[in-house]
Amino acid sequence: MNGVRHYLLALQFFTRVPVTGRLAEWIGFSPQMLRASAAHFPGVGWLVGGVGAAVFVLALRGLPGVAGALAAALLSMAATVLLTGAFHEDGLADVADGLGGSADRSRALEIMKDSRIGAFGAIALVLALGLKAALLASMAGQGAQAVAGAIVGAHVLSRLAPLFLIRWLPYVGDSGASKAKPLADAIGGGALLVGVLWSVPAALLMLATQGPARTIAMAVACALAALVMARMFRRRLQGFTGDGLGATQQLCELAIYLALAWQA
């Protein structure tokens, strides 16, 4: 039952799904539990991706044409943002503000803690959200089933990448204030395996809906995006922050959509 409790705690931490009352009491909370719940981050992607896929498919049925596909993509994105509270988008904006300029390590970390959004953060959000909407709309011609599989798979697999950062990089955020403080200690191989087990069915879903070539391209694109982020965090910050995990999820999701939408 610990696995169920850890998954529900992950839902509580990474989404706005209400987990209150007796259920919250049964789940409990401790820094150790929250650290263990990180293994279920890809599992949270099944819920978020499922909601996004359902909204996209339903909207696409009633909104024809190119404009309809773009509207369906925007509605799908709005649903996932509402469900997660823009948790990861906020991380992307903070990382862009902190690392977008030439600030040194200490100044970059200070900027990333600032709740105000700067020019780099605003530009990053506009570009990321705009590109995501365009890519999803461009895939509408592949059929609703293919796009639904892409959305679900992308949300699951993009949430596996941050687990490798937690595993291999030290935590360098403000451990006194950050929500990611319980993740400061690297997760073990068992937790990483749990994340992989959540992700295997998503990879199989991609294979069934996208075909082998696109699935391989998607996996390579996601891995490259994660490696680029890990290298940048190691070089500029000497480790990861909670915002860095959110930014990595966002860029890996984008990389997956780009690989799936690309026409060879």
Side-chain angles (χ1 to χ4, degrees):
M1 297 298 288
N2 279 342
V4 176
R5 294 168 66 197
H6 293 159
Y7 177 72
L8 291 174
L9 186 59
L11 281 181
Q12 189 178 28
F13 186 75
F14 293 115
T15 74
R16 284 181 167 176
V17 174
V19 182
T20 59
R22 292 185 178 180
L23 181 58
E25 292 178 6
W26 177 73
I27 296 170
F29 177 83
S30 70
Q32 293 74 23
M33 286 182 63
L34 184 56
R35 187 179 305 119
S37 75
H40 299 275
F41 193 20
V44 174
W46 280 101
L47 174 64
V48 178
V51 169
V55 170
F56 186 92
V57 171
L58 291 174
L60 196 62
R61 288 179 179 177
L63 299 170
V66 175
L70 181 58
L74 290 170
L75 288 171
S76 173
M77 291 164 52
T80 59
V81 167
L82 287 173
L83 188 58
T84 62
F87 196 57
H88 313 305
E89 289 81 1
D90 179 67
L92 175 62
D94 286 341
V95 167
D97 278 333
L99 302 182
S102 57
D104 59 22
R105 177 179 181 271
S106 60
R107 178 57 181 157
L109 289 172
E110 183 181 347
I111 292 172
M112 289 165 65
K113 289 186 293 183
D114 193 333
S115 60
R116 295 169 297 180
I117 187 171
F120 284 110
I123 292 169
L125 280 179
V126 170
L127 290 177
L129 295 176
L131 182 57
K132 189 183 299 186
L135 291 172
L136 286 174
S138 73
M139 288 190 285
Q142 300 175 17
Q145 183 179 17
V147 180
I151 292 173
V152 174
H155 275 280
V156 176
L157 296 171
S158 65
R159 284 167 168 78
L160 176 63
L163 299 187
F164 287 94
L165 268 65
I166 299 173
R167 172 68 171 169
W168 291 327
L169 294 178
Y171 179 74
V172 295
D174 182 1
S175 60
S178 174
K179 293 180 180 179
K181 178 182 177 181
L183 305 179
D185 295 332
I187 61 174
L192 192 60
L193 178 60
V194 171
V196 170
L197 291 176
W198 274 114
S199 304
V200 167
L204 295 176
L205 176 65
M206 286 285 202
L207 191 62
T209 59
Q210 308 298 325
R214 278 196 172 95
T215 300
I216 292 172
M218 170 276 301
V220 171
C222 184
L224 286 176
L227 287 172
V228 168
M229 296 299 286
R231 184 177 182 276
M232 180 175 63
F233 293 146
R234 184 182 293 277
R235 180 172 58 86
R236 295 288 302 276
L237 303 176
Q238 287 81 58
F240 77 91
T241 66
D243 288 327
L245 299 180
T248 300
Q249 184 278 322
Q250 285 289 292
L251 291 182
C252 285
E253 185 184 349
L254 271 174
I256 290 172
Y257 293 143
L258 182 60
L260 295 177
W262 190 273
Q263 297 295 324

